[in-house]
């Protein structure tokens, strides 16, 4: 039994506009399967995508606070020229420079039109085959503990773990990494960005949720009401959802 991450969930006042931004940013397409805007590889909606972790932009009535998100995306580039071109393109689409205490670094920190921070990385060999999303990055206090929980929760392979960072990736060696970075501060507001996980065909969602609780996940009431997915929080309080198999 295991789960797989199928999408990054981003809350937005204007889900259509933010979805269009991310579609342009990633070179993907925006789809409207319902009230949300799903961003995935071009060529027609395929869900779940066999390789990519998509982006699902969900409309909410509350704007983002000034507090930095503790989950963000890192975008991959193939050259210094590509990085510069992508940053210029993103700014033209409505991204703005973001200051999160990064200092002098080779990557560029931006925010999408509703203030969700993300990074445009300098070329790195490790991300040469991830696609446009290099990594989903989670701020945390204990990367080792996060790696243990998420490594048990999902069927992804642990690639690195230290006191300062941990990284997992699909056992097939495709798509983005899931990374945990030791970061000062503690979680104080609900995450604007979180992961959605999906059981494999034939697996029992209720059994998977029970397994996650046994690993240290806790139930989460966000006012979601009676919905087919289950809202949980990991041991450091990061929200995530377990979706119902279609």
């Amino acid at each position: 039994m295991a789960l797989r991450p199928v999408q990054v969930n981003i809350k937005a006042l204007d889900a259509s506009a933010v979805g269009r931004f991310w579609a342009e940013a990633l070179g993907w397409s925006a789809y409207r399967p319902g009230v949300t805007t799903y961003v995935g590889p071009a060529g027609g909606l395929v869900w779940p995508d066999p390789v990519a972790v998509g982006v699902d932009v969900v409309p909410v009535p509350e704007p983002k606070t000034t507090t930095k998100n503790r989950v963000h995306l890192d975008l991959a580039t193939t050259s210094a020229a590509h990085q510069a071109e992508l940053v210029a393109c993103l700014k033209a689409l409505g991204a703005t420079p973001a200051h999160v205490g990064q200092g002098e670094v080779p990557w560029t920190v931006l925010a999408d039109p509703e203030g969700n921070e993300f990074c445009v990385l300098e070329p790195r060999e490790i991300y040469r085959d991830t696609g446009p999303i290099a990594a989903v990055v989670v701020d945390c206090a204990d990367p080792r503990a996060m790696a243990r929980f998420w490594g048990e929760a999902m069927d992804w392979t642990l690639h690195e773990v230290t006191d300062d960072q941990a990284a997992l990736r699909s056992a097939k060696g495709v798509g983005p990494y899931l990374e945990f970075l030791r970061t000062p501060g503690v979680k104080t507001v609900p995450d604007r960005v979180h992961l959605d996980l999906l059981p494999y065909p034939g697996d029992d969602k209720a059994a998977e949720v029970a397994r996650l609780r046994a690993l240290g996940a806790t139930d989460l009431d966000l006012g979601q009401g009676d919905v087919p997915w289950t809202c949980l929080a990991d041991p450091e309080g990061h929200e995530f959802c377990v979706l119902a198999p279609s």
Side-chain angles (χ1 to χ4, degrees), residues 109-123:
V109 184
L110 300 172
D112 74 12
E114 291 200 6
N116 298 298
E117 302 88 359
F118 65 97
C119 297
V120 181
L121 302 180
E122 77 284 3

Side-chain angles (χ1 to χ4, degrees), residues 23-101:
E24 293 285 349
L26 301 173
W28 287 354
S29 294
Y31 305 96
R32 293 296 304 276
V35 297
T36 71
T37 299
Y38 178 77
V39 178
L45 176 60
V46 176
W47 192 94
D49 191 274
V51 173
V53 175
V55 174
D56 196 42
V57 187
V58 179
V60 295
E62 307 86 7
K64 181 182 181 293
T65 68
T66 57
T67 302
K68 174 185 176 290
N69 288 335
R70 291 184 69 82
V71 180
H72 72 266
L73 298 181
D74 280 352
L75 305 190
T77 64
T78 57
S79 66
H82 180 209
Q83 183 186 16
E85 291 166 3
L86 182 55
V87 168
C89 175
L90 292 166
K91 288 179 177 177
L93 291 170
T96 54
H99 303 283
V100 293

